[in-house]
Amino acid sequence: MKKSIYQIIRSFIIISLIVPLYSSSAICSNLTIYTEDSPKAHFKDKDGKIKGYVYEFVLAMQKKMGDKTPIQMVSWEQGYNLASTKPNVVLFSTTFTEERRPLFKWVGPVSESVWVLYAKAGAGIKIKSLESAKSLKKIGTYKDDVREQFLKEKGFKNLESVTDDSLNLKKLMDNSIDVWVSSRDRAPFAAKEMGIPMESIEPVLKMVEKGLFIVFNAQTPDDIVDKWLDAYDALRSDGTMESIYKKWNVAVPQYQIPAVEIIED
């Protein structure tokens, strides 16, 4: 039976509406999402399940978008390398720096971090400025971590890098390093994990405060990133983000990516 012109037009309209939706969904399903083990934000419990306030918020964003891409936990080094080199790879939570700005597309912030230099309690280490820390013999850092990258960019030559950050705390207690660079939220969990009382270490210098984001490889299509941005804005505006973070006793982050200064001739 021949179709009427109206049926043909109606069929064309339906197909034209479905195809973009299918294409967008297909692109979404091609995303690969990674996170790392970071205390309170995203970590595995004793049963091996991922939990944390940032993890919960990312799940809420996915639900808002109808995206069911699984989240995989990997080492920071692996996740960062993949996100910076492979299209459609997503990684959270990633600290913003100007050097990293062009490497990714950014959604957030989802957290904030204060970087601190810790010494063994009673070691008598006094640091008045970041520059003066260059005179120390050894600073313990986590391989490819943003804090290590920051110190390298500042010209530090006294860094001792490890692939397992918990080893830095052990080395600090063994007097194998002078100070350990960590963050105010991570240090207590690392100490607890290693069975070391937090009173055994002391902050000797607050370095800097940074925002952490969900990042997408720079080749990820803008329409996909825009969907995540819209979900982020919606859940921040409607109180979902505040509700999740309050449950974990964490403040909603206020950090903003600095604007790029445009200089005209």
Side-chain angles (χ1 to χ4, degrees):
M1 185 175 73
K2 293 182 178 180
K3 291 184 178 180
S4 70
I5 186 65
Y6 299 105
Q7 288 175 312
I8 294 172
I9 292 174
R10 182 174 179 273
S11 298
F12 176 78
I13 292 173
I14 291 173
I15 292 171
S16 66
L17 289 172
I18 290 175
V19 169
L21 289 174
Y22 175 79
S23 299
S24 177
S25 176
I27 294 174
C28 274
S29 66
N30 286 334
L31 290 178
T32 305
I33 306 177
Y34 295 114
T35 190
E36 66 153 341
D37 186 358
S38 182
K40 209 169 186 178
H42 24 81
F43 62 95
K44 285 188 177 180
D45 64 13
K46 61 181 181 180
D47 297 320
K49 294 182 179 179
I50 304 177
K51 291 187 176 181
Y53 67 94
V54 175
Y55 175 71
E56 280 192 26
F57 182 65
V58 172
L59 288 183
M61 291 175 64
Q62 288 185 281
K63 183 177 180 180
K64 180 79 174 177
M65 295 180 288
D67 176 40
K68 297 181 180 180
T69 306
I71 298 171
Q72 305 173 56
M73 182 169 284
V74 296
S75 70
W76 172 253
E77 182 180 9
Q78 181 183 358
Y80 185 81
N81 287 339
L82 288 168
S84 57
T85 59
K86 302 292 185 182
N88 295 334
V89 171
V90 185
L91 176 67
F92 67 93
S93 305
T94 303
T95 305
F96 174 83
T97 66
E98 286 296 338
E99 293 72 24
R100 287 177 172 179
R101 184 197 287 264
L103 299 178
F104 305 106
K105 294 177 181 179
W106 302 79
V107 173
V110 291
S111 185
E112 288 177 323
S113 180
V114 178
W115 302 350
V116 179
L117 288 180
Y118 288 95
K120 184 178 180 179
I125 293 178
K126 305 293 182 184
I127 304 174
K128 294 182 178 180
S129 67
L130 186 60
E131 187 67 22
S132 66
K134 290 182 178 179
S135 64
L136 297 171
K137 289 183 179 180
K138 293 181 180 180
I139 298 176
T141 60
Y142 182 24
K143 183 174 173 57
D144 290 335
D145 177 65
V146 67
R147 288 166 284 267
E148 179 183 79
Q149 294 174 347
F150 174 80
L151 292 175
K152 284 182 176 179
E153 289 157 6
K154 294 294 182 182
F156 278 74
K157 306 296 184 184
N158 55 345
L159 308 181
E160 187 162 315
S161 182
V162 297
T163 56
D164 181 354
D165 196 31
S166 62
L167 293 177
N168 277 317
L169 193 49
K170 183 178 183 299
K171 292 169 72 174
L172 191 66
M173 294 296 99
D174 292 342
N175 301 310
S176 299
I177 56 175
D178 298 300
V179 295
W180 164 44
V181 57
S182 188
S183 60
R184 199 160 59 189
D185 54 344
R186 177 185 286 269
F189 286 89
K192 183 178 180 181
E193 188 177 70
M194 295 295 291
I196 297 171
M198 191 60 187
E199 296 76 21
S200 299
I201 64 175
E202 59 184 8
V204 292
L205 182 71
K206 176 182 173 181
M207 292 167 52
V208 70
E209 187 168 349
K210 291 284 187 179
L212 285 82
F213 291 74
I214 305 166
V215 296
F216 298 71
N217 177 272
Q219 297 182 51
T220 305
D222 285 341
D223 61 331
I224 299 303
V225 180
D226 287 344
K227 286 181 67 176
W228 282 73
L229 281 167
D230 289 343
Y232 175 87
D233 289 340
L235 296 183
R236 181 158 184 148
S237 298
D238 69 11
T240 299
M241 186 180 205
E242 183 178 6
S243 177
I244 293 172
Y245 283 44
K246 187 176 182 180
K247 183 177 71 174
W248 286 86
N249 195 29
V250 176
V252 171
Q254 302 301 318
Y255 182 91
Q256 294 183 351
I257 294 180
V260 177
E261 184 178 355
I262 300 176
I263 301 175
E264 298 181 356
D265 294 333

